[in-house]
Amino acid sequence: KHLSDSGKKVFKVLVSSDEVKIKYAEDLKNECLSMVEKAIIEEGDSFLDNFKDKLSSIKDINSNNVDEIIINCSELNESLSKK
């Protein structure tokens, strides 16, 4: 009731199987990376280089780290969408 549409989607994914969560996390990470790169090019936001490096360093998404990756990337995605 109190969650935004994106929050509802994230919650739904977080209670899904690891396979679904890992696929979603990979897609979300790539989407965030594209958004960060676009913002760096368009706006010269060099402070976003740190986010780009962190996103690029995510290589092994597994059942131990997938929830954290989804939450962090969805928050970043939402922040970048508001720019």
Side-chain angles (χ1 to χ4, degrees):
K1 204 175 195 182
H2 299 287
L3 293 174
S4 64
D5 287 342
S6 60
K8 289 176 186 174
K9 182 173 184 174
V10 169
F11 179 76
K12 187 175 179 180
V13 171
L14 288 173
V15 296
S16 299
S17 68
D18 282 350
E19 183 179 326
V20 170
K21 291 194 290 188
I22 290 169
K23 171 78 173 106
Y24 183 79
E26 289 170 349
D27 292 344
L28 189 58
K29 179 196 89 160
N30 291 332
E31 182 181 340
C32 283
L33 192 54
S34 294
M35 291 174 78
V36 166
E37 289 171 341
K38 183 179 177 187
I40 290 170
I41 291 168
E42 289 181 356
E43 302 171 26
D45 287 343
S46 59
F47 75 92
L48 290 174
D49 285 339
N50 188 33
F51 288 104
K52 181 181 173 186
D53 293 343
K54 286 185 178 186
L55 288 167
S56 297
S57 71
I58 299 172
K59 302 289 185 222
D60 180 34
I61 300 175
N62 58 57
S63 58
N64 294 324
N65 64 10
V66 70
D67 290 349
E68 182 179 1
I69 291 169
I70 290 172
I71 292 167
N72 291 338
C73 285
S74 63
E75 288 174 353
L76 177 59
N77 190 329
E78 199 166 305
S79 295
L80 289 170
S81 295
K82 292 178 182 175
K83 279 192 111 189

